[in-house]
Amino acid sequence: MKRIDLSEYGVPEHVVHCVEVPDVGAPGPGEVVFDVLAFPINPADIGFCSGTYRLRPPLPATPGAECVGRVIAVGTGVVNVQPGDHVINLQRENWTQRRRVKGEDVIAIPKNIPIRQAAMLRINPPTAQLLLSDVAPLQPGDWVVQNVANSAVGRLIIRLGRARGLRTVNVVRRESLFAELHAMGADICIVDGPDLAARVAQAVGGAPVKLGIDAVCGEALARIASCVADGGAVVTYGAMSGGQPAIDRGDLMFRGITLSGFMLGRFLGRRSLGEIQAIFADLAVQMQDGKIDAPVAAVYPIEQIAEAVAHAQREAKGGKILVAPNGPV
Ligand SMILES: NC(=O)c1ccc[n+]([C@@H]2O[C@H](COP(=O)([O-])OP(=O)(O)OC[C@H]3O[C@@H](n4cnc5c(N)ncnc54)[C@H](OP(=O)(O)O)[C@@H]3O)[C@@H](O)[C@H]2O)c1
C-alpha cells in the first residue's frame, strides 16, 4: 500500500514522498481497518511538514490530521462500526491508503454525505462551532468580526453564526470575494488594511462588536482587536502570516479587551466522549443537509502529493485541496 512519509522537515513539497509500505494487516481485538477515501491538506498539515507545528515526531513521519474512510474489517469486540461504514478518524497519520486504529477512534457518519465534504468534517466544522460557543457569551443579534473569512473555517463561521442569529463582519484580502460571501449569509464584507476599526464601526452603525476571531496573527490580529468593543473578546486560532500575535496595549489595558488562543483538541478535551460524539453527529447532519460545506479547488491522486501540497499553499486557490488515495471520489 502507499503512504506519505516525510524524509525531513522542510519545504513541504520537497519533503513529502509517496512510498510503498507493507499493508496494515488484519484488525486485532478492538481494532478497525479502513481504506482512506479522501483527506484534505490543511494549513496545520503544511506546518507539520515544515516542522513548525506543535507536533514534530521522529522521522520518517506521516502527516494527516483528518480523513474520511470506509471500514473494511473490524476486530472482535468492536460494536460502534461495521464493514462498509464511512468513518472519520480522531487520530492522525492519515495521508495513506489504509489505516488500522482502535475502534473508539473512529466515528461512523452518514453514507450520503459527499466524500469530499466528509473528508473535511473532523476539524474545521467543530472549530467554527466552538469558536462561536466557547469564547464569549453571544446572543442573537450580536456582531462578530473575523479575518480569513473566505477560508473553510471562515465560511463555516458565517453559516453557523447566521444559524444562531449572529451577525458577521468578514475581513478578506480582496473585494472579488464579497458577492460569494454575502450569498452564503455574510452581513458585511471588508478588505483588510489601515483604518479597519473605523470602516467596521461605520459598517455596523456603531453597534458593539462582541467577539473578534483571528487566524492571521501579526498586525492583522491587532486590527481585528481594534474593531472589538470595550470589554470584548479576541481569540486567535491560526497564524496564516506566520507571525506572532500583536495587539495594541491600550486595547488590553484601557479598553479591557481579552485575548485568548483556541486549539480544537484542547476545547474538545473539556468535553466527554458522548458530548464530542453529539457535536459530530449534529455537524454530520448539517453537512448531509448541505447546510455546511467547503469549496474544493482540486483533488489529486496520492502519487501526486508534492503537486497537491504545493497547490494547497497558493494564494487565492479558491477552495480546499484534497487527495483521494484509493481512486477518484
Ligand atoms: N486552532 C485550531 O484548532 C484550528 C483548527 C482548524 C483550523 N485552524 C486554522 O484556521 C485557519 C484557516 O484554516 P482553513 O483550513 O479554514 O484554511 P483554508 O480553507 O485552507 O484557507 C486559508 C485562508 O488563509 C488565508 N491566508 C493565507 N495566507 C494569509 C495571509 N498571509 N494573510 C491573510 N490571510 C491569509 C487565505 O486567503 P486567500 O484566499 O486570500 O488566499 C484563505 O482564506 C488556519 O490558520 C488553520 O491553521 C486552527
Side-chain angles (χ1 to χ4, degrees):
M1 65 170 223
K2 294 184 171 67
R3 188 178 75 195
I4 304 305
D5 278 3
L6 293 184
S7 53
E8 57 188 314
Y9 292 107
V11 177
E13 56 271 37
H14 295 166
V15 298
V16 289
H17 302 287
C18 182
V19 296
E20 198 65 39
V21 293
D23 189 77
V24 297
E31 289 183 335
V32 169
V33 171
F34 66 86
D35 279 339
V36 176
L37 301 178
F39 60 77
I41 297 174
N42 287 322
D45 296 315
I46 296 298
F48 183 94
C49 296
S50 309
T52 56
Y53 189 61
R54 67 184 173 85
L55 299 174
R56 211 170 185 276
L59 296 168
T62 297
E66 67 178 330
C67 73
V68 61
R70 184 188 295 118
V71 175
I72 58 168
V74 301
T76 55
V78 171
V79 292
N80 57 323
V81 294
Q82 55 188 13
D85 281 354
H86 290 184
V87 291
I88 54 172
N89 180 19
L90 298 178
Q91 295 302 323
R92 295 173 173 273
E93 302 179 27
N94 292 309
W95 287 13
T96 181
Q97 284 187 307
R98 187 168 285 177
R99 293 295 325 267
R100 177 161 59 93
V101 298
K102 289 184 198 156
E104 69 213 39
D105 287 334
V106 293
I107 296 179
I109 59 168
K111 277 192 193 167
N112 54 359
I113 299 178
I115 293 299
R116 294 175 177 203
Q117 293 300 319
M120 301 181 284
L121 172 60
R122 151 92 176 92
I123 295 177
N124 286 341
T127 294
Q129 179 153 314
L130 300 191
L131 281 167
L132 290 174
S133 66
D134 284 24
V135 179
L138 297 172
Q139 305 300 326
D142 281 347
W143 284 100
V144 172
V145 62
Q146 65 160 340
N147 56 24
V148 299
N150 71 313
S151 69
V153 175
R155 290 163 186 265
L156 288 157
I157 285 173
I158 292 170
R159 285 179 153 173
L160 294 171
R162 173 153 280 234
R164 279 187 51 185
L166 303 173
R167 294 181 287 180
T168 55
V169 179
N170 298 281
V171 180
V172 290
R173 295 202 279 189
R174 56 194 174 280
E175 197 171 333
S176 58
L177 291 162
F178 287 9
E180 195 185 342
L181 297 185
H182 280 307
M184 66 172 49
D187 293 284
I188 291 167
C189 296
I190 282 187
V191 172
D192 202 357
D195 303 326
L196 188 67
R199 290 184 285 129
V200 168
Q202 186 178 28
V204 302
V209 176
K210 298 282 179 63
L211 174 64
I213 304 178
D214 164 77
V216 181
C217 276
E219 291 299 323
L221 187 154
R223 288 193 291 277
I224 287 291
S226 70
C227 301
V228 173
D230 293 6
V234 176
V235 62
T236 183
Y237 70 104
M240 294 307 304
S241 68
Q244 294 295 330
I247 191 164
D248 186 304
R249 62 179 179 274
D251 283 343
L252 291 174
M253 293 191 292
F254 311 139
R255 299 205 305 111
I257 304 284
T258 56
L259 172 64
S260 63
F262 176 94
M263 190 183 86
L264 178 63
R266 206 156 49 77
F267 280 62
L268 284 177
R270 300 170 175 174
R271 292 164 159 86
S272 68
L273 183 59
E275 288 170 326
I276 293 170
Q277 287 167 336
I279 287 172
F280 283 113
D282 169 53
L283 291 168
V285 169
Q286 295 197 56
M287 195 171 256
Q288 176 185 279
D289 294 346
K291 290 181 181 162
I292 55 172
D293 61 11
V296 173
V299 184
Y300 287 83
I302 194 166
E303 296 82 359
Q304 290 178 20
I305 189 66
E307 289 92 327
V309 162
H311 192 171
Q313 296 170 81
R314 280 185 216 148
E315 187 171 337
K317 61 186 186 294
K320 278 289 179 193
I321 307 305
L322 303 188
V323 173
N326 282 291
V329 294

